[in-house]
Amino acid sequence: MNHTARRIGRSLALVLPVVLVLSGTFAVTHVNWSGNPADSVLTASSEDASVPAKPRAAHDVLRDKLLLELQEKDPGEALTSLQRAVDRKPSLARHCVSLARALGKAAVKTYGATRAQSFARPVCDTSFASGVAQFG
């Protein structure tokens, strides 16, 4: 019994200081010494969770919807939806060119340049076709 207790004591005497030094080192490295909350490792917990997220712009929401429609259906459907959205909400017209180009780029990735070009139609001054040509 005495011999076993001595072996356990020796093992603890060797292992315990190593564990304490390592845990202390890790604790010190995770402390925000700069005083700047942006440098903190715990940035998620330091943010104010009661602040609502900023609403996304209408054209960004529309872009995501159109790109999803392009993936699920085809670029022709997405271009038709783009034209309808611009007709319903004329303030989107200033983003129409960038939206159509984004659809052209996505169509090239999905269908290849030749097939993507076959979906082109005169939406937003043929910006879809220029997007296909630019990224194809």
Side-chain angles (χ1 to χ4, degrees), residues 111-126:
Y111 296 97
T114 304
R115 182 140 186 254
Q117 190 64 39
S118 70
F119 292 102
R121 55 180 72 165
V123 175
C124 306
D125 297 327
T126 66

Side-chain angles (χ1 to χ4, degrees), residues 72-91:
E72 292 177 350
K73 296 178 183 175
D74 65 55
E77 294 286 330
L79 285 169
T80 301
S81 295
L82 172 60
Q83 186 64 54
R84 287 182 185 146
V86 170
D87 291 343
R88 276 192 311 263
K89 193 171 182 181
S91 64

Side-chain angles (χ1 to χ4, degrees), residues 46-82:
S46 66
E47 292 179 7
D48 186 6
S50 64
V51 176
K54 292 181 182 178
R56 294 179 61 208
H59 66 277
D60 289 334
V61 173
L62 179 60
R63 177 181 291 117
D64 291 346
K65 179 184 165 215
L66 293 171
L67 291 173
L68 181 64
E69 187 173 359
L70 183 140
Q71 295 295 323
E72 292 177 350
K73 296 178 183 175
D74 65 55
E77 294 286 330
L79 285 169
T80 301
S81 295
L82 172 60

